[in-house]
Amino acid sequence: KNQVEQSPQSLIILEGKNCTLQCNYTVSPFSNLRWYKQDTGRGPVSLTIMTFSENTKSNGRYTATLDADTKQSSLHITASQLSDSASYICVVSETGGSYIPTFGRGTSLIVHP
Amino acid sequence: ETGVTQTPRHLVMGMTNKKSLKCEQHLGHNAMYWYKQSAKKPLELMFVYSLEERVENNSVPSRFSPECPNSSHLFLHLHTLQPEDSALYLCASSQAAGPYNEQFFGPGTRLTVL
């Protein structure tokens, strides 16, 4: 059964600090992995997409990594801002024509001033 | 108006009521999706439409009935719901259906079933 596990479940950091969120998956055959940011009361917004051959991808202060061999991904946030407070969701899709991706439960990040 | 819009934003209904959720996308996309987001659970994909044709029904109970009259509009008709159906219902659209296409989400409808 395809699964996506995210850790930690929740995280509290001070503004300006860095943090790293983890995503482990068992989805196979692998197509791509996305990180989404979901602000409270809003729909998710895609931050990055990574395919099998990509190891690192950045979007501003967000940097995602992918190790397809160990089936692990991380999202690193640099110099956190109050606006980074949100839920971060890891989503993994498989090849083979399926429209149904596998979602993680998300990591709830709170950035305090 | 731009992006993906959903109405209503909040809905409270009894188990015997019939209501509908509406989604509209202004992005010129050809695929639309309904998701359910419950507290402490992962997002669940419910339905996928591609070019107004339903291409995926992820084992959703028949009390949820989707309708896609054109590529810009998507409805979710609700009837005889259960309290456990209370959740945030998200609509999304993408250029085409499939895992490589970025999905753009609406703000969601917060549904409470009494």
Side-chain angles (χ1 to χ4, degrees):
Chain A
K1 179 183 176 182
N2 289 337
Q3 288 187 312
V4 174
E5 300 290 338
Q6 291 187 242
S7 62
Q9 184 175 351
S10 61
L11 183 62
I12 301 174
I13 62 174
L14 292 176
E15 185 179 13
K17 298 296 185 182
N18 304 335
C19 67
T20 300
L21 314 180
Q22 300 290 341
C23 173
N24 297 338
Y25 63 91
T26 62
V27 176
S28 182
F30 176 83
S31 172
N32 63 74
L33 182 149
R34 281 189 188 273
W35 282 95
Y36 282 89
K37 178 188 178 188
Q38 185 174 19
D39 293 315
T40 301
R42 309 282 293 272
V45 175
S46 179
L47 294 174
T48 63
I49 178 173
M50 302 188 73
T51 57
F52 186 87
S53 59
E54 296 174 303
N55 299 118
T56 304
K57 184 171 283 188
S58 293
N59 178 0
R61 294 179 297 101
Y62 300 102
T63 299
T65 65
L66 175 66
D67 186 333
D69 292 331
T70 61
K71 299 187 177 180
Q72 296 179 324
S73 176
S74 66
L75 181 69
H76 185 75
I77 303 175
T78 304
S80 60
Q81 300 177 359
L82 299 180
S83 59
D84 292 331
S85 296
S87 179
Y88 292 84
I89 303 171
C90 177
V91 185
V92 184
S93 297
E94 60 180 282
T95 58
S98 172
Y99 296 105
I100 305 176
T102 304
F103 289 81
R105 294 175 185 265
T107 292
S108 176
L109 174 66
I110 298 175
V111 180
H112 279 312
Chain B
E1 193 160 7
T2 59
V4 181
T5 59
Q6 291 186 242
T7 55
R9 294 295 308 276
H10 300 273
L11 178 63
V12 180
M13 59 186 290
M15 289 191 288
T16 59
N17 292 157
K18 289 185 180 180
K19 297 287 184 182
S20 295
L21 310 184
K22 178 183 176 182
C23 175
E24 183 174 1
Q25 59 97 358
H26 310 267
L27 301 169
H29 288 166
N30 294 314
M32 297 188 77
Y33 311 77
W34 277 117
Y35 286 88
K36 176 183 179 182
Q37 188 173 36
S38 305
K40 307 299 183 184
K41 293 178 68 175
L43 269 164
E44 300 171 55
L45 179 62
M46 301 173 72
F47 300 103
V48 181
Y49 276 84
S50 176
L51 298 171
E52 302 148 45
E53 179 181 340
R54 191 190 312 175
V55 296
E56 190 68 64
N57 175 343
N58 193 17
S59 302
V60 180
S62 59
R63 58 185 183 270
F64 295 92
S65 175
E67 178 190 3
C68 187
N70 55 62
S71 59
S72 298
H73 294 86
L74 186 65
F75 295 90
L76 188 62
H77 304 298
L78 315 172
H79 63 98
T80 59
L81 293 191
Q82 305 298 312
E84 59 264 30
D85 296 323
S86 298
L88 180 68
Y89 288 85
L90 290 161
C91 173
S93 71
S94 62
Q95 185 60 53
Y100 290 101
N101 293 276
E102 180 179 357
Q103 293 183 27
F104 294 80
F105 287 81
T109 295
R110 174 68 62 185
L111 173 66
T112 302
V113 181
L114 301 176

